[in-house]
Amino acid sequence: MFVSFFPTSIREVVPRHAGSWLVKLMLLMTLMITVSGSTAAAAPASLDKTRQAQLEAQLTGELQRVVNAQRRIEGQGRDVAVSARFVRDNRQQLGLVIDLSETYVPRVFGAEMEDLEHELSTVCHQLLRDIVVVRNVEFRYGGKDVYHYFPEQLEEDKQARTVSAASAWPMAAATVVTASGHGIYYHYGFKDWRAQRDPSNGIVEDFLTPNYATELSLWLSRRSEAASHFPRSTSSDEHEPSSQPWSNVGARYHLRAMYPDRPEIWHSLPNASDNLRERNEDIRSRPLFANVIGANALFHMHTNAANDAAASGASAFFQTGRVKDQQLADNILCYMKELIQAKDSYKNYKVSSKASGGNYAENRLATMPSVIIEAGFHTNPSDAAALKDPVFRTAAMKGVEKGYRLTAEDKGCEPFKIDRIPDASGMQNTYIPVEVHYQGYPQFAVTAKVEVVSCPSGWICSGGELEYLDQEDTPLVYEVMCNGISWSPATFRFKTSLSDLDGVSPAAVEHNMTCLPPGIRSNSGTDERPSISVRPQKTL
């Protein structure tokens, strides 16, 4: 007896634009996939009192060590005490409060201060990563929040949070801003043009992030039908004041050239006199630009840094208290993880399970959902190699786009997996449907691969592949026929796997198919011996 599938070479002569059902009818058995490793479970969101106290003491000690080693910026005192404690917000999400002495408050709360705070929050997130999920890190100074010392930030935050909460997600023709982080700026102290980030492992963040913004805009256009706008220039022409290409220059200067009559975008701190005033305006210019053009979403592309070279992985940040932004940021991380870890080279690449709340001007000033995306640590040699790899970049940015698109469709985090494949049975010489029930949101075309696990004695069995070109809801269905005459039931065990267009490949599932003897002679097969053929079910 013989079990066979039609050859996979048929697919090579079928036009890619042909209707999905026609392709499936012709293929008869053509499925393809690879199997990815299982993802690690997310860290728990709760702690018992003893463990909580231990972690708070550990965090306090580590933060004190880092604060003691940090350089001080204008207005800060030398002696600073720090403590850390866990709290819960009104939605019972676990957060962390870092309380520093009032002497830690600087004269200007700008980019330098954000960098210092980010260093401290990164220490916490890295230490707690595999222990507990912390949704938000808030800073206090002498027990008071930053708004006590800089009340203008409170007004900015209130306005942006209110507008963002009232905004609606567009389903198509969206306007999106993809902002590449940093870029050179004029430093009034050194009286020169310089990058905002130092080189590390062959990367200067200012010059790498435009590649990520461009990649993201490509997939937003193709898959979300969203028009992307760049705050920074993409031109290679010389920016005369700095003698560098315009593409290396910060957003502030490009937006000044584009909107000379709108200084509120690029000169939002007209009374500032500190040396970093144009760097601070550069950071603020990105959300202010997005506000002016009425963008529906804002993405800030960054790479991360830490004094500890072991710190690694992708993360995302939203403005504390903005629920819609948090949902978007969580979805982005979910699908970045799915797409990145689908690549064999990056199946173990770390991606935070949940986004973190914070108080960054890039998000705070935006009147639409806004997310800071840290693709990896350029201070980590392994992460840095990934950040320079186009394969990694494409996978990561496809994940960001997918997170945006599914959030717009009011869908959450549901990675692609095979849920179940029920056992099937039917008469010989009739097509028996096999249902592949899946979860998640694969990018079609989806290919499937059917392998024979066990074949009854007296039968010769072989597997095959098929493809589903057009998007189809679960289950995906193909059909099996036992050709020939067998006077007793025959049960075959198959293993079916799926893979989507982006290479996301959930684990295969084994299942049985039983052919029952109808007593009808087959009109196909090899030398009239019983065989199995498989075809995808026609979808009308």
Side-chain angles (χ1 to χ4, degrees):
M1 297 181 182
F2 183 69
V3 180
S4 65
F5 293 100
F6 282 76
T8 59
S9 58
I10 294 177
R11 67 192 299 179
E12 297 175 359
V13 299
V14 179
R16 290 292 296 178
H17 61 270
S20 178
W21 73 267
L22 177 60
V23 174
K24 288 184 286 184
L25 185 63
M26 296 178 65
L27 288 178
L28 297 179
M29 181 50 195
T30 317
L31 286 138
M32 179 176 238
I33 191 162
T34 57
V35 179
S36 66
S38 61
T39 55
S46 61
L47 294 170
D48 61 51
K49 291 183 178 180
T50 301
R51 184 59 172 144
Q52 178 173 318
Q54 291 173 340
L55 287 174
E56 287 176 343
Q58 186 177 358
L59 286 167
T60 295
E62 182 63 16
L63 289 170
Q64 188 67 66
R65 183 191 67 79
V66 174
V67 167
N68 291 345
Q70 282 180 329
R71 66 181 179 84
R72 296 295 185 257
I73 61 178
E74 187 178 0
Q76 287 184 327
R78 184 66 253 170
D79 296 325
V80 178
V82 59
S83 65
R85 59 186 172 88
F86 291 103
V87 295
R88 290 194 178 274
D89 63 16
N90 55 12
R91 291 188 290 156
Q92 292 302 301
Q93 296 182 128
L94 189 66
L96 186 69
V97 171
I98 299 175
D99 201 344
L100 300 123
S101 303
E102 191 170 336
T103 53
Y104 200 73
V105 178
R107 186 176 76 84
V108 176
F109 201 99
E112 278 190 308
M113 188 59 178
E114 285 193 3
D115 289 346
L116 294 176
E117 286 188 343
H118 185 69
E119 181 180 5
L120 299 180
S121 65
T122 297
V123 168
C124 296
H125 285 302
Q126 290 290 312
L127 192 151
L128 297 172
R129 170 173 234 150
D130 298 322
I131 301 172
V132 69
V133 174
V134 172
R135 295 297 276 162
N136 181 50
V137 176
E138 295 189 39
F139 289 88
R140 297 286 186 270
Y141 310 94
K144 302 179 180 65
D145 63 27
V146 67
Y147 301 130
H148 174 80
Y149 303 96
F150 302 94
E152 66 278 5
Q153 286 200 19
L154 179 59
E155 294 306 313
E156 291 176 345
D157 186 19
K158 282 183 177 179
Q159 179 184 6
R161 190 182 303 187
T162 300
V163 177
S164 176
S167 62
W169 280 100
M171 295 304 294
T175 298
V176 176
V177 171
T178 53
S180 49
H182 306 302
I184 64 171
Y185 72 103
Y186 187 76
H187 192 292
Y188 282 87
F190 294 103
K191 300 187 185 307
D192 63 7
W193 292 84
R194 55 181 52 208
Q196 298 181 40
R197 290 292 184 261
D198 296 327
S200 179
N201 292 309
I203 290 176
V204 176
E205 181 181 358
D206 308 55
F207 309 143
L208 180 74
T209 55
N211 296 330
Y212 280 76
T214 300
E215 183 84 24
L216 176 58
S217 71
L218 170 67
W219 298 110
L220 286 167
S221 174
R222 289 184 179 179
R223 295 182 174 181
S224 292
E225 299 181 0
S228 293
H229 296 263
F230 302 106
R232 285 175 61 177
S233 174
T234 59
S235 172
S236 59
D237 293 343
E238 181 181 308
H239 172 250
E240 292 186 5
S242 67
S243 300
Q244 292 207 36
W246 266 103
S247 58
N248 286 352
V249 178
R252 178 196 186 278
Y253 307 99
H254 177 236
L255 294 172
R256 177 178 182 175
M258 296 295 294
Y259 299 91
D261 298 328
R262 301 295 300 270
E264 68 273 18
I265 300 175
W266 46 268
H267 192 33
S268 60
L269 301 173
N271 298 322
S273 59
D274 58 291
N275 293 334
L276 295 180
R277 55 187 179 271
E278 291 194 0
R279 181 185 169 193
N280 292 331
E281 287 180 336
D282 175 64
I283 289 175
R284 296 166 60 89
S285 69
R286 304 165 206 158
L288 295 176
F289 163 67
N291 295 347
V292 165
I293 67 170
N296 303 108
L298 172 56
F299 303 105
H300 306 276
M301 306 313 306
H302 286 275
T303 62
N304 216 336
N307 289 328
D308 180 4
S312 65
S315 56
F317 296 86
F318 60 92
Q319 183 65 22
T320 298
R322 286 166 56 160
V323 176
K324 188 177 296 183
D325 302 49
Q326 177 176 326
Q327 293 169 342
L328 174 60
D330 283 348
N331 262 6
I332 285 172
L333 287 177
C334 172
Y335 294 108
M336 284 183 73
K337 180 175 184 177
E338 181 184 50
L339 272 292
I340 291 171
Q341 293 185 351
K343 304 301 179 185
D344 288 341
S345 299
Y346 302 109
K347 61 184 179 181
N348 296 318
Y349 192 86
K350 294 180 180 178
V351 180
S352 296
S353 59
K354 296 292 183 181
S356 303
N359 186 24
Y360 299 95
E362 287 174 299
N363 288 332
R364 184 179 66 250
L365 298 180
T367 57
M368 73 291 298
S370 176
V371 179
I372 294 171
I373 299 155
E374 304 274 9
F377 282 78
H378 57 255
T379 47
N380 178 292
S382 180
D383 278 19
L387 291 168
K388 291 183 282 188
D389 182 0
V391 172
F392 173 88
R393 182 175 67 234
T394 296
M397 294 303 97
K398 281 182 176 180
V400 175
E401 182 280 329
K402 187 172 183 177
Y404 165 75
R405 173 163 37 91
L406 293 179
T407 305
E409 295 173 3
D410 199 27
K411 297 172 181 174
C413 175
E414 191 175 356
F416 183 30
K417 63 173 288 188
I418 298 176
D419 182 30
R420 59 189 174 90
I421 304 177
D423 292 344
S425 64
M427 294 293 183
Q428 294 177 29
N429 298 298
T430 61
Y431 282 107
I432 303 169
V434 176
E435 296 183 348
V436 183
H437 295 257
Y438 70 86
Q439 297 178 8
Y441 308 100
Q443 187 71 34
F444 282 77
V446 167
T447 55
K449 182 178 181 180
V450 176
E451 300 174 86
V452 178
V453 176
S454 65
C455 184
S457 176
W459 292 74
I460 300 174
C461 304
S462 61
E465 300 181 346
L466 68 86
E467 185 174 46
Y468 300 84
L469 291 180
D470 298 333
Q471 182 161 340
E472 297 185 26
D473 293 335
T474 186
L476 300 177
V477 181
Y478 62 86
E479 293 178 334
V480 180
M481 177 182 284
C482 305
N483 295 317
I485 300 174
S486 176
W487 301 109
S488 61
T491 297
F492 305 85
R493 189 157 184 83
F494 297 104
K495 180 171 69 174
T496 297
S497 54
L498 300 176
S499 179
D500 76 353
L501 186 64
D502 293 326
V504 179
S505 305
V509 171
E510 294 189 5
H511 53 101
N512 296 325
M513 197 230 25
T514 301
C515 289
L516 304 174
I520 301 175
R521 189 174 182 81
S522 171
N523 59 3
S524 62
T526 302
D527 297 330
E528 298 185 352
R529 291 176 296 176
S531 65
I532 292 179
S533 62
V534 179
R535 69 170 189 177
Q537 184 180 36
K538 176 179 176 181
T539 303
L540 299 178

